[in-house]
Amino acid sequence: MNNILIYDCETLKGMFLIVIYDIQTKEWFTFEISERKCEIDKFVNFTEEYKDYYFCGYNCLRFDSQVIEYVLRNYQFWVEKSCIEICQLVWQKAQDVIDDSNYEIFPDYKESELSLKQLDLFTIWHFSNINRRTSLKAIEFAINFESIEEMPYHHSKEFFTEKEYEETKSYCKNDVSATYAL
């Protein structure tokens, strides 16, 4: 099973970021929607090209895939919207997904309805069990991962400097690397 992509997304009010690592080719892909870039079409084209791959993440069934599915199902209605307006729509969806999960409400999209095939290490390793529930950061610590990082900016941040964009990308790439290590 070589057709696996490791991924993570960050949903900030002023930036939606997806970082993907192809374990076979060792290529990195980054897609950003922000004030400075709007790579939504590039991301949609990527998902069409890699539709037969498995997208592997940590807690991706309950979060990342839900946000991505929302983007894939709605992007064609956003043609008239600015990049920041799109970011804020995606950010609000992410907040809704988080709020719903806090109340044990099932995600909007069932796994069988997702556009992208998912491998969720959170579920596979049974970390979704209330008695074993743990964060990716705790796992990074447990596996003695080389770089344990915290998200550098609060999810409500709207405006970024070039340095802050790059730090957020670096953080997301580190989480993808940790997921791959797991």
Side-chain angles (χ1 to χ4, degrees):
M1 185 149 72
N2 290 331
N3 294 339
I4 297 175
L5 302 170
I6 311 298
Y7 82 104
D8 188 33
C9 66
E10 302 303 332
T11 53
L12 297 99
K13 198 167 190 178
M15 179 182 3
F16 176 52
L17 179 67
I18 304 163
V19 174
I20 300 171
Y21 179 67
D22 184 329
I23 64 172
Q24 187 173 8
T25 65
K26 308 219 180 311
E27 285 181 90
W28 289 91
F29 303 93
T30 303
F31 305 95
E32 178 184 322
I33 302 171
S34 68
E35 183 178 48
R36 70 179 188 161
K37 288 184 183 180
C38 193
E39 297 179 325
I40 195 165
D41 290 333
K42 186 177 167 186
F43 175 66
V44 170
N45 290 338
F46 179 88
T47 63
E48 290 170 2
E49 183 180 340
Y50 287 85
K51 68 180 184 294
D52 294 329
Y53 280 62
Y54 285 90
F55 285 70
C56 178
Y58 190 83
N59 196 23
C60 59
L61 285 175
R62 301 277 289 179
F63 183 73
D64 305 74
S65 69
Q66 298 297 309
V67 174
I68 287 172
E69 190 66 25
Y70 172 74
V71 170
L72 294 176
R73 290 185 186 209
N74 291 287
Y75 78 95
Q76 70 272 15
F77 304 115
W78 300 338
V79 177
E80 301 295 321
K81 297 200 178 300
S82 71
C83 295
I84 287 297
E85 289 173 315
I86 293 170
C87 256
Q88 292 176 352
L89 287 169
V90 174
W91 175 80
Q92 186 57 59
K93 177 60 177 177
Q95 296 313 297
D96 294 344
V97 169
I98 291 166
D99 288 344
D100 287 352
S101 71
N102 289 338
Y103 294 100
E104 299 296 326
I105 297 173
F106 286 107
D108 287 345
Y109 308 111
K110 295 179 186 174
E111 183 177 2
S112 61
E113 299 171 346
L114 296 172
S115 301
L116 306 174
K117 298 182 287 189
Q118 301 290 316
L119 291 174
D120 186 354
L121 297 181
F122 184 70
T123 304
I124 291 169
W125 286 97
H126 301 284
F127 295 132
S128 55
N129 177 312
I130 196 162
N131 295 314
R132 290 178 48 118
R133 192 162 291 163
T134 192
S135 68
L136 183 58
K137 299 297 165 249
I139 288 173
E140 290 173 6
F141 182 78
I143 65 173
N144 201 24
F145 191 66
E146 62 208 39
S147 177
I148 302 170
E149 299 177 11
E150 288 295 325
M151 177 63 170
Y153 306 103
H154 193 266
H155 66 85
S156 63
K157 186 167 179 59
E158 294 186 57
F159 303 102
F160 300 84
T161 65
E162 287 299 315
K163 181 181 178 198
E164 291 169 335
Y165 281 117
E166 295 311 313
E167 288 172 345
T168 305
K169 281 184 183 181
S170 176
Y171 166 78
C172 191
K173 187 174 181 180
N174 190 68
D175 273 3
V176 170
S177 296
T179 302
Y180 183 51
L182 177 61

